[in-house]
Amino acid sequence: MMSARIAVVILTYNEEENIQACIESVDFADEIILIDSGSEDGTCRLAESLGARVVSHPMVDNGFAGQRNFALQQTEAEWVLYLDADERITPKLAKEISAHIHGAPQRAAAIKRESVVMGQVMRHGVYRPDYVVRLFPRTMVLWEGVVHERAVTELPVVRLKAAAHHECLTSWEQYFAKFDRYTTLMAEKMQQKGTYTNGVLMHFHAGFAFLQMYLLKLGFLDGWLGFILCQYHYFYTLTKYTKLLELQRKSRRDT
């Protein structure tokens, strides 16, 4: 029986600081493919020097889901593993992935991520460990969603035991760059879904978001950094609804 091949797909945009460690963590892959949406730094050049194949593809209306679906057309490998540039596969997880793709029956797999923020492993709150479904037979998955996209598959999903490392934040500058980009995308998504907000609702959602992360999700156990991140989650939620409110007003002016 022919051995199953696996392609690792990494979506990138200006990830020069992250891409080397990401690529080096997946040296078990038969193929590493970057789907790059217009990096202006050395991301693509560095990735190619490390043996990855770079495919330039602009981020269009279908957002991150569109990028992930496009990647499926760029390989003939039997399996695909999706990674973000700030994620790292540990040696223990690499062995588990290899066993999974050679096992039977075929199943999709969710990977546990342990988030690292400013050098601190987060156990609770906004950046508590989570599971993301990322490993699929190539022909058995499609993606949907502009941001916070999700995989659609008919296969059962199992959780792998070993964890990946998610170096999600190394500076506040990086945080606020993502903050602006993601709140805009989320506001646009909410508008498309017909979500309504007003001055009262937006503050209610933001207040609940803080309480949920700080108290219900135990963010206070992550110390001062956990408190700060929960505060910023309040402002993240408030900002995305503020942007939605502006989109609503613009839509009314245009009609």
Side-chain angles (χ1 to χ4, degrees):
M1 182 177 177
M2 184 178 293
S3 178
R5 295 171 300 158
I6 182 169
V8 172
V9 173
I10 309 169
L11 305 187
T12 55
Y13 176 75
N14 289 345
E15 294 286 358
E16 184 177 10
E17 294 184 1
N18 278 315
I19 196 60
Q20 181 168 347
C22 181
I23 289 174
E24 289 177 346
S25 78
V26 290
D27 57 1
F28 59 88
D30 298 288
E31 186 178 16
I32 301 172
I33 306 169
L34 263 66
I35 307 299
D36 187 80
S37 56
S39 292
E40 298 171 344
D41 61 3
T43 298
C44 299
R45 181 174 61 254
L46 180 55
E48 288 175 335
S49 74
L50 294 167
R53 178 160 60 92
V54 177
V55 181
S56 296
H57 189 256
M59 184 84 72
V60 291
D61 292 343
N62 291 327
F64 291 105
Q67 295 294 86
R68 296 191 189 279
N69 287 329
F70 173 77
L72 295 171
Q73 306 167 28
Q74 310 308 310
T75 181
E76 295 183 355
E78 289 81 11
W79 286 82
V80 288
L81 170 64
Y82 289 91
L83 283 184
D84 292 340
D86 57 4
E87 295 170 347
R88 317 283 183 256
I89 300 299
T90 61
K92 187 176 181 180
L93 179 56
K95 292 180 181 179
E96 196 172 355
I97 289 171
S98 179
H100 180 87
I101 68 175
H102 291 97
Q106 284 192 336
R107 296 169 295 177
I111 292 173
K112 182 181 180 180
R113 296 188 303 180
E114 293 182 342
S115 293
V116 181
V117 177
M118 315 297 181
Q120 178 177 330
V121 178
M122 308 304 292
R123 303 298 185 190
H124 309 281
V126 181
Y127 290 95
R128 65 194 180 281
D130 64 345
Y131 281 89
V132 287
V133 188
R134 295 285 187 78
L135 180 61
F136 311 90
R138 177 176 53 84
T139 60
M140 297 297 292
V141 62
L142 285 175
W143 293 81
E144 61 181 27
V146 175
V147 64
H148 299 312
E149 67 281 11
R150 73 180 190 94
V152 179
T153 181
E154 295 181 357
L155 291 176
V157 178
V158 298
R159 289 184 171 185
L160 302 185
K161 296 179 181 179
H165 291 163
H166 184 203
E167 302 284 343
C168 54
L169 288 175
T170 58
S171 70
W172 292 116
E173 180 181 17
Q174 179 191 25
Y175 176 85
F176 286 112
K178 288 185 175 182
F179 182 104
D180 183 52
R181 186 182 185 194
Y182 277 70
T183 51
T184 296
L185 289 171
M186 286 301 297
E188 292 171 348
K189 180 179 180 180
M190 289 191 295
Q191 184 190 39
Q192 292 169 4
K193 291 172 59 178
T195 303
Y196 171 80
T197 195
N198 57 37
V200 174
L201 284 174
M202 56 197 285
H203 283 89
F204 171 81
H205 286 300
F208 178 76
F210 172 80
L211 292 175
Q212 181 185 41
M213 292 301 166
Y214 193 65
L215 296 179
L216 300 181
K217 301 298 183 181
L218 306 179
F220 63 89
L221 292 178
D222 280 327
W224 72 271
L225 184 56
F227 176 62
I228 289 173
L229 290 170
C230 290
Q231 282 186 308
Y232 280 141
H233 188 62
Y234 169 92
F235 289 111
Y236 173 90
T237 306
L238 184 63
T239 301
K240 72 180 182 182
Y241 278 100
T242 300
K243 291 182 177 182
L244 172 62
L245 185 63
E246 180 59 27
L247 289 174
Q248 289 176 179
R249 291 172 175 170
K250 183 178 185 299
S251 179
R252 287 196 295 267
R253 289 196 301 266
D254 293 342
T255 57

